[in-house]
Amino acid sequence: MPSPTPPQLDLVDTHCHLAWEAFDADRAAVVQRAQAAGVGACVVVGVDEATSEAGLGIARAQPGWAVATAGIHPTEADVTDPARWPPLRELLGRGGFVAVGETGLDDYHHTTPLEAQAASLQRHVRAALDLGLPVILHCRDAFPRLLDELQRWRGTGLRGVLHCFTGGPAEAEQLLELGLHLGAGGAATYKPNGALRDALRTAPLDRLVLETDAPWLAPVPVRGRRNEPAFVSHVAACLADDRGLPRAEFAARTSSNARALFGLSER
Ligand SMILES: [Zn+2]
């Protein structure tokens, strides 16, 4: 007897870099595979002016499926150059983007002084509030400083997500208290990251969104391969099982959170 096709999950990939050159050769096939896997919407995240514009192009080519964000990634070598901000802010002001970022702090790669990253982060957050958009945050080895930087926006209505969240329950608690969402991706499926799964298992379900961060950080069981939006299904399966929820329910709930956060229409 042929095995029945597993029911398709309702998925949203809230963080992928589909404009990246890693997808230049087969972007259309990647989109098709994502749609076949149940990914009903995909947030294409910009890391500089060029990829932000390119993301908008992908969004126009895939209306109702892809949406784009604009930002300057903290590890971009010349994020220190304040002259880069006005063109990016102008691009954001033209509209069509669903979020500001990614921005944040990265004290791991040491490509840019942390002070300069913090100044860039503040510019992004200010723009997000001015435009009424959520912010997409990146954090690596700089969590206390990130919290400090965000404290000053407490009570302003700042919305957003710490993407690729890798902390434990204490860190999750602090982000949730600031009103932010937790973005769960491939890292949550890696065996050693038990504290991260503890945090995600106990966090309120209405504050979780799923992501791939494609082309990086492919989840188990495709770890080591080029990541792509279709693989968000593996993240959903892992975390649903860990939480003891039916996969379909977990996927639908987290996707509903994503649609609300980024202003996407219900499917
Ligand atoms: Zn990213």
Side-chain angles (χ1 to χ4, degrees), residues 115-159:
E115 283 311 312
Q117 295 182 31
S120 179
L121 165 65
Q122 294 296 341
R123 288 192 285 268
H124 282 75
V125 173
R126 174 81 266 163
L129 285 164
D130 288 347
L131 295 163
L133 295 174
V135 67
I136 294 182
L137 299 165
H138 164 107
C139 184
R140 188 145 185 210
D141 291 358
F143 189 77
R145 178 67 189 269
L146 180 77
L147 274 186
D148 275 358
E149 294 292 332
L150 295 175
Q151 289 301 341
R152 75 180 71 173
W153 302 100
R154 180 180 290 281
T156 56
L158 174 68
R159 302 176 302 125

Side-chain angles (χ1 to χ4, degrees), residues 15 17 45 47 73 102 138 163 213 216:
H15 196 111
H17 297 283
V45 176
V47 297
H73 195 281
E102 64 184 285
H138 164 107
H163 108 87
D213 204 15
W216 301 286

